[in-house]
Amino acid sequence: MAVSGQLEQRWTEEGLQARLVEVRRHLHRHPEVAYEEVETTKAIRDWLGEAGIRIADYPLRTGVVAEIGCRGDGPVVALRADIDALPIQEETGLPFASEIPGKMHACGHDFHTAVIFGAALMLREREQEMPGTVRLIFQPAEEKGKGAGQVIASGALDGVQAIFGLHNKPDLPVGTVGIRAGALMASVDGFRIEVTGVGSHAAVPNAGIDPIVVSAHIVTALQTIVSRNVSPLDSAVVSVTKLQAGTTWNVIPDHAVLEGTVRTFNNAIRDDLPGRIRRLIEGVAGAMGATARMDWYAGPPSVRNDEQLTTLTKRAAAALGWNVATPDPSPAGEDFAHYQQLVPGSFVFVGTSGPHEWHHPAFDLDERALGPAASLFANLAETALRSWNEGGDSHSDDV
């Protein structure tokens, strides 16, 4: 899967941009979904190797970790990109559209990978002057919310003092970066509820206990979780996205299954909601003679940006001429949050002037953002390293 192209000793702005477009389009043509990023991993390793960037040895089946800078003493700053695609049939009509049926980079992870690869190329040129190490994490399986955990388990976050990441933002114009301290993206949890009643002939409902009717009451009652239990000054979302029951038109089934998701930016609310939902469904079902049980699937926590690193990020972006905006928090989730549970981190939105939101089959982005974003992250990594060395701690009040 290696992309053709002659390596340069020093990257011009135009040369870097062309290379990153080539890399992004290659990835876009060959998307691989979570846990299947084998060829993507090989391509990234090849590109890094061609650039003389050393690959770090961590036990990851897919995904790549590399390092630039000194191997001994000195701070370590990490830059993270996600590499997996989505199980979506592409409808962009682009000349470099996905060549894999039913799979597409509909969330822009090809853009993220190209940006951090570009930052790596720039940092490699300045490696001898770097006051520390930059660890490059090309992470698998973000869309499953599990990839960050795999990276952490491999030991690739050990020794890291700070971590930076990005997500493209279609509703921000190219040249604008969204940077926000505190909560930026929501926690993501899921649930599966099984309602058990008593089956019957559809013409004799009194002989059974209809789980469809019980499920309908549960769906309605779940809306009160937010409207009557969450403060109007806070926010949460409880959505039932799947309800399955029955096999034919004239039989009342004996069970039904509901699935859905819960999102919030508040950890206290997040901790409270599973118990509230469980008590509610059991009460509603019990009152109607049925039973209900719930399985809870905890996903990534809320992405919460470190205050001091966010200040550093804003300064680095402004120094490069970016328009720095404060975005609204997004109810979407990101497993970058798992890294932030262990080390200070800052996650930013890079404007890409896209025509559609994430996960749309016609999703696309403006590639003019590639080179500037790569420059931003290269400079951000160096700024963090210098700050750490000059102040003794890049997380200090002097940032």
Side-chain angles (χ1 to χ4, degrees):
M1 281 182 67
V3 170
S4 62
Q6 185 175 358
L7 288 176
E8 301 175 25
Q9 292 301 311
R10 304 293 296 182
W11 289 97
T12 64
E13 183 176 325
E14 294 78 11
L16 180 67
Q17 173 68 16
R19 177 63 167 163
L20 300 189
V21 167
E22 185 182 17
V23 165
R24 184 252 166 169
R25 292 186 179 186
H26 180 85
L27 293 170
H28 196 87
R29 287 191 183 98
H30 304 92
E32 295 178 303
V33 297
Y35 309 119
E36 299 178 6
E37 313 97 326
V38 176
E39 292 301 314
T40 301
T41 295
K42 182 179 183 301
I44 296 169
R45 291 178 68 95
D46 288 347
W47 299 334
L48 292 169
E50 290 169 1
I53 297 170
R54 64 182 181 270
I55 308 297
D57 185 18
Y58 290 99
L60 291 169
R61 191 182 72 85
T62 58
V64 182
V65 180
E67 290 185 341
I68 300 172
C70 62
R71 292 173 181 263
D73 296 335
V76 180
V77 170
L79 302 180
R80 176 271 204 173
D82 37 14
I83 66 174
D84 55 325
L86 284 159
I88 294 175
Q89 181 63 40
E90 182 161 352
E91 299 177 2
T92 62
L94 292 168
F96 53 90
S98 170
E99 297 175 4
I100 312 298
K103 298 178 183 179
M104 175 193 176
H105 271 293
C107 203
H109 294 186
D110 51 346
F111 175 86
H112 305 162
T113 300
V115 166
I116 298 305
F117 174 66
L121 294 180
M122 299 178 73
L123 290 167
R124 177 69 177 90
E125 293 178 346
R126 310 194 286 263
E127 184 170 23
Q128 298 306 313
E129 294 79 40
M130 285 173 53
T133 300
V134 177
R135 189 169 296 165
L136 308 156
I137 299 173
F138 295 92
Q139 178 207 299
E142 187 280 329
E143 294 294 351
K144 295 294 185 181
K146 303 293 185 182
Q150 294 177 7
V151 170
I152 292 167
S154 77
L157 204 66
D158 295 352
V160 171
Q161 278 80 46
I163 186 167
F164 300 91
L166 78 152
H167 206 293
N168 69 89
K169 201 70 167 71
D171 57 350
L172 290 178
V174 171
T176 296
V177 60
I179 305 173
R180 183 185 187 93
L184 179 69
M185 301 183 78
S187 59
V188 181
D189 299 312
F191 58 82
R192 182 181 186 274
I193 299 168
E194 186 166 353
V195 178
T196 302
V198 177
S200 178
H201 194 292
V204 192
N206 55 293
I209 298 173
D210 191 340
I212 296 176
V213 173
V214 176
S215 297
H217 280 272
I218 286 175
V219 171
T220 301
L222 284 174
Q223 309 313 304
T224 67
I225 292 285
V226 173
S227 67
R228 289 299 176 267
N229 294 283
V230 175
S231 167
L233 302 179
D234 291 313
S235 65
V237 172
V238 178
S239 291
V240 176
T241 57
K242 179 179 179 181
L243 200 169
Q244 288 186 332
T247 58
T248 189
W249 66 280
N250 61 349
V251 176
I252 293 173
D254 58 5
H255 77 281
V257 173
L258 302 86
E259 294 183 6
T261 186
V262 175
R263 311 287 174 107
T264 183
F265 302 100
N266 186 306
N267 288 333
I269 294 173
R270 186 191 190 204
D271 293 341
D272 181 60
L273 285 178
R276 286 193 178 275
I277 293 174
R278 185 171 284 107
R279 291 191 297 272
L280 185 148
I281 66 169
E282 291 174 352
V284 170
M288 303 181 76
T291 61
R293 61 176 297 274
M294 180 180 74
D295 294 317
W296 185 261
Y297 306 103
S302 173
V303 171
R304 303 189 68 86
N305 286 332
D306 179 83
E307 186 81 34
Q308 303 303 327
L309 289 183
T310 300
T311 298
L312 183 149
T313 305
K314 288 181 177 178
R315 290 177 181 173
L320 291 175
W322 286 79
N323 175 34
V324 178
T326 302
D328 292 331
S330 169
E334 240 288 351
D335 75 353
F336 184 86
H338 287 303
Y339 301 122
Q340 294 176 309
Q341 301 293 297
L342 300 174
V343 299
S346 183
F347 193 78
V348 306
F349 290 147
V350 174
T352 51
S353 302
H356 298 285
E357 258 296 351
W358 306 322
H359 296 207
H360 191 283
F363 173 89
D364 193 21
L365 46 79
D366 191 330
E367 293 176 329
R368 289 178 298 173
L370 282 165
S375 178
L376 170 62
F377 275 84
N379 281 275
L380 181 57
E382 288 186 306
T383 300
L385 290 176
R386 285 196 303 270
S387 176
W388 196 285
N389 279 292
E390 292 169 2
D393 184 351
S394 69
H395 192 231
S396 73
D397 292 336
D398 294 332
V399 171

